[in-house]
Amino acid sequence: MDFNSLPIGFAMNMAKHKDALDAYNSLTEYEKEKVILECKDAKSKEDMEHIIDRLTGNWF
């Protein structure tokens, strides 16, 4: 995975959460692009954490 192509907040969270990295790697290219676009629109750390939670199935 090329972390340089990902939004920095997303890459940092992925580095801390192996389950998120595994989930992201299992997505199709289309799904990955949707996640990346959502990350680029994130306005806060909490927004980014919600994206990671959805990837890992940790909905609260």
Side-chain angles (χ1 to χ4, degrees):
M1 162 165 300
D2 179 16
F3 282 103
N4 293 324
S5 65
L6 299 175
I8 188 70
F10 185 61
M12 290 174 62
N13 273 295
M14 297 271 276
K16 294 189 295 185
H17 302 283
K18 183 184 180 321
D19 53 340
L21 179 60
D22 292 341
Y24 180 80
N25 284 330
S26 71
L27 298 175
T28 65
E29 290 303 312
Y30 175 76
E31 291 168 328
K32 288 177 183 177
E33 185 62 30
K34 286 177 58 177
V35 170
I36 290 170
L37 290 174
E38 187 176 356
C39 289
K40 289 179 179 179
D41 288 339
K43 304 288 187 233
S44 67
K45 178 182 175 185
E46 290 78 21
D47 289 347
M48 194 63 69
E49 289 171 352
H50 288 293
I51 295 166
I52 295 296
D53 287 344
R54 278 201 323 276
L55 270 176
T56 59
N58 294 324
W59 293 87
F60 297 105

